[in-house]
Amino acid sequence: MTLKSDLGSYRKNYTKNNNFSLDNFDTPLSLFNQWFKEFDNDITDSEVNAMTLSTVGIDGFPKNRIVLLKEFDEEGFTFYTNYNSEKGLSISKNNKVCLSFFWEQHERQVIIKGYAKKISDLKSNKYFNSRPRGSQLGAIVSNQSAVIDSKKELEENLIYLESKYRNKSIPKPINWGGYIVSPVEYEFWQGGENRLHDRARFSYKKNHWIIDRLSP
Ligand SMILES: Cc1cc2nc3c(=O)[nH]c(=O)nc-3n(C[C@H](O)[C@H](O)[C@H](O)COP(=O)(O)O)c2cc1C
């Protein structure tokens, strides 16, 4: 494979750092909120709510994958998935997870450690009912993370379900729903000149957030 140049010489200067200050933020959620809004306002044609979810599997290995952030507030960060998927099984054994965001255009990264738990069925139903019918059927068809013989079996099942539910509402599968991740630690990274990046860690201890600046 031919690259434009040697990977070792790929180098970027970080120039967007506008005197990163923590003075105006006593909670990490307010800083996250500001960064998320800034990214959301500036970026078009990108999945702004895509985040990496890391779980530790029953084999002891960490595994990352992208999921979509659907809500965040004081309670935590919510995404939806299949509870019987690999991630679902991992969380059932170890609910310590990590979320991360890379907002390249703003030269920012946020890493959040926390505990995942299932949200109420009521809330999952509400979100499921708001989804397009195609996504609802897809959630039923896909036994997420299971080995399949061919794509054809999914397509045939989809056709069958389309006719089964024609003009009817589609019920949420019991094994599909949301998880909320309640943070215990946030780390914010803002690229800086001469590799003097800013890193701020908020750790939740004894009912309040401790802020530490970390060396890049
Ligand atoms: C942009 C993007 C968004 C995705 N959003 C979700 C999501 O919200 N929920 C989900 O279960 N999988 C989502 N996926 C698929 C996951 O990355 C992953 O393939 C799937 O959840 C199975 O993971 P697992 O086998 O580790 O459980 C998304 C993938 C991409 C690339």
Side-chain angles (χ1 to χ4, degrees), residues 47 63 65-68 80-81 85-87 144-145:
E47 292 204 89
K63 182 181 168 186
R65 80 288 280 157
I66 305 286
V67 291
L68 296 177
Y80 290 85
T81 193
S85 63
E86 186 179 341
K87 74 181 89 48
Q144 195 178 50
S145 315

Side-chain angles (χ1 to χ4, degrees), residues 100-118:
S100 62
F101 299 82
F102 173 40
W103 292 320
E104 182 181 359
Q105 296 85 341
H106 287 183
E107 302 168 353
R108 285 171 173 167
Q109 170 181 245
V110 183
I111 303 172
I112 298 169
K113 288 185 194 169
Y115 292 94
K117 71 165 192 241
K118 288 181 185 171

Side-chain angles (χ1 to χ4, degrees), residues 22-206:
L22 291 166
D23 294 345
N24 301 326
F25 303 101
D26 48 355
T27 70
L29 185 62
S30 54
L31 180 53
F32 181 88
N33 196 26
Q34 173 166 325
W35 280 20
F36 191 85
K37 268 202 206 138
E38 286 173 4
F39 189 65
D40 192 27
N41 285 339
D42 288 358
I43 306 304
T44 49
D45 195 28
S46 169
E47 292 204 89
V48 289
N49 57 334
M51 60 182 183
T52 301
L53 164 74
S54 311
T55 53
V56 176
I58 43 185
D59 55 7
F61 282 99
K63 182 181 168 186
N64 306 332
R65 80 288 280 157
I66 305 286
V67 291
L68 296 177
L69 176 64
K70 289 292 167 178
E71 201 180 325
F72 66 91
D73 57 22
E74 296 73 20
E75 302 295 312
F77 292 71
T78 301
F79 63 92
Y80 290 85
T81 193
N82 185 313
Y83 290 141
N84 295 339
S85 63
E86 186 179 341
K87 74 181 89 48
L89 298 181
S90 299
I91 291 170
S92 71
K93 297 280 182 244
N94 179 351
N95 69 341
K96 290 179 176 168
V97 303
C98 187
L99 304 173
S100 62
F101 299 82
F102 173 40
W103 292 320
E104 182 181 359
Q105 296 85 341
H106 287 183
E107 302 168 353
R108 285 171 173 167
Q109 170 181 245
V110 183
I111 303 172
I112 298 169
K113 288 185 194 169
Y115 292 94
K117 71 165 192 241
K118 288 181 185 171
I119 64 171
S120 72
D121 225 29
L122 198 74
K123 217 169 164 201
S124 291
N125 268 315
K126 196 166 165 214
Y127 175 67
F128 186 82
N129 292 335
S130 75
R131 301 180 87 205
R133 287 178 71 82
S135 308
Q136 293 178 332
L137 292 175
I140 302 178
V141 167
S142 169
N143 186 10
Q144 195 178 50
S145 315
V147 174
I148 51 172
D149 285 338
S150 70
K151 187 158 183 187
K152 197 157 169 267
E153 68 184 60
L154 298 179
E155 289 163 347
E156 285 171 357
N157 202 358
L158 184 63
I159 291 169
Y160 162 73
L161 290 170
E162 272 165 354
S163 73
K164 180 173 170 186
Y165 290 112
R166 184 153 298 127
N167 302 323
K168 292 190 191 130
S169 63
I170 303 165
K172 178 186 81 58
I174 49 167
N175 59 319
W176 190 96
Y179 284 102
I180 185 162
V181 177
S182 309
V184 292
E185 185 183 296
Y186 288 69
E187 190 188 312
F188 295 87
W189 183 99
Q190 171 80 66
E193 280 177 40
N194 303 315
R195 298 307 188 249
L196 294 187
H197 316 301
D198 287 294
R199 290 177 66 195
R201 182 180 63 199
F202 292 70
S203 322
Y204 197 65
K205 294 206 175 110
K206 297 193 177 141

